[in-house]
Amino acid sequence: MQNSKQAFFATVAEKSDGASLRGNYSDISEDYVVQQNWDRYTSDEHALWRRLYQRQAELLPGRACDEFIESLNALNAADGIPRFDTTSEALFKATGWRIVAVPGLIPELVFFTHLANRRFPVTVWLRNPDEFDYIVEPDVFHDYFGHVPLLFNPVFADHIQEFGKGGLKAMQLGGLDQLARLYWYTIEFGLVQGKHGLRAYGAGILSSGGELRYCLEPSSSHHIALNVERCMRTLYKIDSYQETYFVIRNFKQLFGDTAPDFTPLYERLKQQQPLPANTLLTGETELVTP
Ligand code: HBI
Ligand code: FE
């Protein structure tokens, strides 16, 4: 599955018209930034946003980390698709980040360059009603509801910028596959130790009705402490719940663990077979027991 994801992004890079993707990539600029055109959203789209928001908001207590819930509430984004420029003003004051509107998935190089410059790409289109429970490509609900709130947290915001810089480096070192796994298992599907138990901080979980329930329940999925090298070896599937969840103690750990130069790590990983998504290695302790 990992290669199909890589091929998928390579397709975006090759076909700049992005014909295979939902968004409108015609006459796209170098940085893939477009206008949000907020006035073009229909009342049906705002109503669908409200339904998506309401469904997730009811699930957050006891499942999402405190930092996410606090930031989300401050965004007042429940009533309809938010205006990115209004959010950007508040976000810039909080942590120096801005939102940039994009037509959908964009090539790695462009994506990481935005992150390295404290610009978070947010897709402008909203899913169809029949995609209420699952969507393959990130839409505005996944990107805004899932990713934007934690950009108000200073430690997390610094981490995402470092991640962007790390992505550019990984592309030079041939470590993109490994770094994409780290991104997947932390920024998209990561869990953190909360005061009262494990909590979700990954955007892919927080924007998913099903996985936000599933990820904390005892199941056949593993819940193990994050080890960056182990995580970078672990394959993932893009169309099912995670078979392994990696758990951090706090955002400082995430920032600290990803600060070192990964060059030697990429070299070691190139010599090793990737691990299937459902691997549990000897010595690894399950943090959620049935
Ligand atoms: N483009 N718009 C957008 N959003 C993403 O999350 C994204 C992307 N392009 C590349 C990419 N993610 C991956 O390289 C990362 O998930 C590692
Ligand atoms: Fe995402």
Side-chain angles (χ1 to χ4, degrees):
M1 296 309 263
Q2 168 65 0
N3 291 333
S4 71
K5 192 168 185 249
Q6 216 56 39
F8 176 66
F9 287 127
T11 308
V12 176
E14 279 162 28
K15 292 199 226 165
S16 57
D17 60 351
S20 62
L21 293 170
R22 302 268 285 263
N24 172 8
Y25 290 76
S26 50
D27 67 14
I28 198 79
S29 57
E30 278 290 290
D31 62 4
Y32 280 69
V33 174
V34 295
Q35 293 300 311
Q36 181 186 11
N37 292 322
W38 187 85
D39 298 316
R40 290 191 198 160
Y41 292 124
T42 64
S43 53
D44 286 351
E45 285 175 308
H46 287 297
L48 176 57
W49 171 281
R50 285 195 292 276
R51 281 182 52 225
L52 285 162
Y53 188 105
Q54 195 49 38
R55 192 257 313 260
Q56 293 311 105
E58 282 161 9
L59 292 171
L60 296 176
R63 294 189 179 92
C65 64
D66 295 342
E67 297 84 347
F68 177 85
I69 295 176
E70 280 150 33
S71 292
L72 178 73
N73 291 340
L75 281 172
N76 291 316
D79 298 340
I81 300 170
R83 294 173 187 267
F84 295 177
D85 49 7
T86 310
T87 304
S88 279
E89 271 164 43
L91 184 57
F92 190 74
K93 283 193 192 101
T95 56
W97 275 82
R98 287 190 182 287
I99 290 175
V100 286
V102 292
L105 292 174
I106 60 179
E108 270 86 7
L109 181 63
V110 182
F111 180 69
F112 289 126
T113 304
H114 280 308
L115 297 190
N117 291 281
R118 293 176 99 89
R119 295 187 300 261
F120 196 85
V122 177
T123 295
V124 294
W125 53 265
L126 182 68
R127 68 189 71 184
N128 301 322
D130 60 7
E131 296 169 303
F132 188 73
D133 288 323
Y134 178 70
I135 185 166
V136 183
E137 289 176 52
D139 70 337
V140 61
F141 187 76
H142 166 85
D143 280 339
Y144 187 101
F145 186 96
H147 285 287
V148 170
L150 282 179
L151 290 173
F152 282 82
N153 174 283
V155 176
F156 197 82
D158 288 348
H159 168 65
I160 302 286
Q161 179 177 31
E162 290 310 308
F163 203 96
K165 293 177 191 167
L168 297 173
K169 218 169 148 195
M171 296 183 78
Q172 305 296 326
L173 298 167
L176 188 58
D177 282 354
Q178 287 78 8
L179 195 82
R181 292 174 196 146
L182 181 66
Y183 185 91
W184 186 268
Y185 281 117
T186 55
I187 296 165
E188 291 295 355
F189 292 96
L191 300 178
V192 61
Q193 294 280 9
K195 289 189 279 302
H196 308 294
L198 299 190
R199 294 292 182 266
Y201 72 89
I205 300 179
L206 292 163
S207 58
S208 156
E211 193 147 10
L212 184 48
R213 288 189 189 88
Y214 174 81
C215 71
L216 297 176
E217 285 163 0
S219 67
S220 57
S221 296
H222 305 307
H223 298 72
I224 56 176
L226 175 70
N227 167 293
V228 169
E229 185 157 354
R230 164 32 165 133
C231 177
M232 285 188 169
R233 276 188 73 191
T234 310
L235 296 169
Y236 57 86
K237 297 172 184 162
I238 64 172
D239 51 6
S240 62
Y241 294 161
Q242 309 322 304
E243 295 174 45
T244 297
Y245 291 97
F246 289 90
V247 181
I248 57 174
R249 292 185 302 282
N250 51 47
F251 294 149
K252 275 200 173 57
Q253 178 204 335
L254 192 57
F255 185 79
D257 283 1
T258 54
D261 168 18
F262 283 155
T263 309
L265 201 152
Y266 292 141
E267 284 318 307
R268 277 201 300 279
L269 287 165
K270 280 180 193 148
Q271 316 306 327
Q272 296 166 336
Q273 277 300 324
L275 299 168
N278 64 353
T279 302
L280 187 70
L281 298 174
T282 39
E284 289 179 335
T285 313
E286 292 280 12
L287 297 175
V288 170
T289 43

